[in-house]
């Protein structure tokens, strides 16, 4: 039966409407739905990446994670592990080009602070560049997140976990002296914050093994035996008691503690500057009985360009510097002169690693 003109018109209108609907849907998909969907997906990916990165930081205990250091230019980076097979600790080591078995180099052990690992601390301190220039081997042990969730060296548990970690570190140092071209009698140790306190613990536990020790923004060693006491010690409200000092003196067995470098910002609100002066006093108190007192030199104020000014206080053993305290004006809880873009790093200060090597060379390392 032939369709009526009205039916034909209705069919034509339906086809036209369907065609227009399909065109509109394609236009919507092209101009609105697809871009919006893509934007949602991109935003979700970004959020997921941010959450993943934050989760990785939280799980790793590292605030500003970086890739493992790579060998560029002269010298080489190596990495490895040491310690118990079921709970190994990792390390990175930089060996300058000129160091050989017949021409052994001094070695600096660098201990990172809380919220850092060996790679991030190498980046903050520019360890490779300074070591390449000076010809030192640089060893960077790494605290595990299993031993401390924030990767702090456990300086505030000196009788148990701290003592065990000090022993582990000495095992690594011995291993490095055998494996790399290191002059074993020219080993120094320097640390930041918790790493600084652990460096001083090493110096007092093994005084014959270190040519010099140093602490940057660290607390007084043996000033706490738990986390609550550590918080008070970091505020400058607690120090080693008389019994502890007697035990330390006994352990030194008439030997001087190693030469000491202290660097600290006067605007540090995490570890108060008073920790530096208290540590200097501790070192003076631990001098062997019957030896001449250390001779203090006039303070020196130094400022180069627009970098932060420093006040340098020296005490001499005879004609050689033995104890140096460097107060960095306006520096908070951060590595002085460190690389930009990293946590616990202040590029405005003088280069902390170069200051340290200058002192270590001055004391005969």
């Amino acid at each position: 039966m032939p369709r009526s003109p009205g039916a034909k018109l209705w069919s034509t209108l339906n086809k036209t409407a369907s065609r227009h609907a399909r065109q509109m849907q394609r236009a919507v998909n092209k101009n609105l739905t697809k871009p919006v969907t893509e934007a949602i997906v991109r935003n979700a990916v970004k959020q997921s990446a941010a959450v993943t990165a934050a989760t990785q930081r939280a799980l790793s205990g590292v605030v500003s994670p970086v890739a493992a250091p790579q060998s560029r230019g002269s010298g080489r980076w190596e990495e490895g592990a040491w310690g118990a097979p079921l709970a190994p600790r990792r390390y990175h080591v930089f060996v300058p080009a000129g160091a050989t078995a017949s021409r052994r180099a001094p070695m600096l052990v660098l201990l990172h602070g809380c919220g850092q690992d060996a790679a991030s601390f190498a980046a903050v301190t520019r360890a490779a560049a300074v070591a390449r220039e000076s010809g030192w081997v640089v060893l960077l042990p790494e605290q595990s997140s299993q031993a401390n969730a924030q990767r702090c060296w456990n300086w505030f548990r000196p009788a148990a976990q701290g003592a065990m970690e000090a022993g582990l570190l000495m095992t690594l140092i011995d291993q490095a002296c055998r494996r790399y071209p290191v002059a074993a009698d020219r080993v120094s140790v320097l640390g930041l914050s918790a790493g600084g306190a652990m460096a001083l613990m090493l110096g007092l536990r093994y005084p014959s093994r270190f040519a010099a020790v140093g602490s940057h923004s660290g607390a007084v060693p043996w000033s706490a035996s738990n986390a609550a006491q550590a918080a008070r010690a970091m505020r400058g409200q607690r120090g080693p008691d008389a019994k502890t000092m007697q035990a330390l003196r006994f352990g030194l067995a008439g030997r001087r503690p190693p030469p000491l470098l202290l660097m600290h910002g006067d605007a540090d609100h995490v570890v108060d500057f008073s920790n530096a002066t208290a540590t200097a006093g501790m070192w003076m108190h631990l001098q062997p009985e019957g030896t001449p007192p250390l001779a203090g030199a006039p303070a020196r104020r130094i400022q180069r360009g627009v970098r932060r000014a420093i006040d340098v206080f020296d005490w001499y053993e005879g004609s050689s510097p033995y104890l140096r305290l460097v107060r960095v004006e306006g520096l908070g809880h951060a590595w002085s002169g460190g690389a930009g873009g990293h946590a616990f790093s202040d590029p405005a200060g003088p280069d902390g690693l170069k200051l340290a090597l200058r002192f270590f060379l001055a004391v005969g390392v």
Side-chain angles (χ1 to χ4, degrees):
M1 179 178 178
R3 288 189 296 176
S4 67
K8 289 182 179 179
L9 178 60
W10 183 252
S11 175
T12 301
L13 290 174
N14 275 341
K15 289 179 181 178
T16 302
S18 297
R19 186 169 64 251
H20 285 169
R22 287 194 299 272
Q23 291 172 346
M24 182 174 290
Q25 185 62 48
R26 285 196 296 270
V28 169
N29 286 340
K30 179 179 180 182
N31 298 314
L32 180 62
T33 305
K34 185 178 180 181
V36 169
T37 302
E38 289 177 346
I40 291 172
V41 170
R42 282 196 303 271
N43 189 50
V45 169
K46 286 181 180 178
Q47 289 181 346
S48 176
V51 170
T52 300
T55 302
Q56 288 175 342
R57 285 196 298 272
L59 291 175
S60 71
V62 181
V63 178
S64 299
V66 300
Q70 301 297 314
S71 299
R72 296 185 180 89
S74 62
R76 69 185 190 276
W77 279 106
E78 293 186 13
E79 60 180 302
W82 93 103
L86 296 179
R89 312 290 178 98
R90 301 203 61 78
Y91 68 87
H92 294 274
V93 61
F94 181 82
V95 182
T100 65
S102 60
R103 190 180 173 187
R104 294 182 175 271
M107 183 170 74
L108 176 62
V109 182
L110 278 178
L111 300 179
H112 63 77
C114 301
Q116 296 178 315
D117 60 7
S120 63
F121 198 39
V124 165
T125 58
R126 300 187 187 89
V130 177
R132 189 179 293 116
E133 179 184 327
S134 62
W136 285 52
V137 173
V138 177
L139 175 66
L140 292 111
E142 185 171 288
Q143 174 67 301
S144 72
S145 56
Q146 288 76 28
N148 185 290
Q150 287 75 44
R151 292 187 182 267
C152 308
W153 300 100
N154 290 288
W155 63 272
F156 50 87
R157 297 187 175 96
Q161 196 167 355
M164 180 271 293
E165 288 178 1
L168 275 175
L169 287 167
M170 285 309 307
T171 300
L172 172 60
I173 291 167
D174 289 338
Q175 175 180 309
C177 289
R178 291 191 300 269
R179 182 172 296 181
Y180 303 105
V182 171
D185 59 343
R186 300 180 67 192
V187 176
S188 302
V189 59
L190 170 68
L192 173 66
S193 190
M198 179 56 77
L200 302 186
M201 285 180 62
L202 284 171
L204 292 176
R205 282 188 178 275
Y206 307 98
S208 65
R209 299 300 308 279
F210 294 100
V213 298
S215 174
H216 189 319
S217 309
V220 182
W222 277 278
S223 58
S225 57
N226 56 52
Q229 291 179 1
R232 293 186 59 210
M234 290 160 63
R235 293 193 296 267
Q237 298 171 356
R238 182 182 172 84
D241 57 27
K243 185 177 179 181
T244 297
M245 292 297 291
Q246 185 178 4
L248 289 172
R249 183 181 291 279
F250 180 80
L252 288 167
R255 179 189 296 273
R256 282 188 190 273
L260 172 66
L261 171 68
L262 299 164
M263 295 183 285
H264 215 115
D266 63 6
D268 191 333
H269 301 301
V270 177
V271 180
D272 191 79
F273 176 78
S274 60
N275 280 269
T277 56
T279 301
M282 178 185 190
W283 238 248
M284 293 178 188
H285 185 76
L286 289 173
Q287 296 301 300
E289 293 181 4
T291 57
L294 301 175
R300 294 175 289 138
R301 187 168 181 82
I302 302 170
Q303 184 169 19
R304 292 186 171 89
V306 296
R307 289 190 177 274
R308 298 187 184 280
I310 59 174
D311 295 307
V312 181
F313 305 87
D314 278 329
W315 288 265
Y316 281 76
E317 177 193 356
S319 60
S320 301
Y322 170 77
L323 195 163
R324 176 169 293 171
L325 193 161
V326 179
R327 180 174 62 201
V328 186
E329 187 176 77
L331 177 69
H333 194 65
W335 183 269
S336 179
H342 298 275
F344 313 114
S345 181
D346 183 349
D351 191 311
L353 196 51
K354 289 184 177 179
L355 287 174
L357 291 187
R358 232 173 265 138
F359 173 75
F360 294 156
L361 289 171
V363 301
V365 177

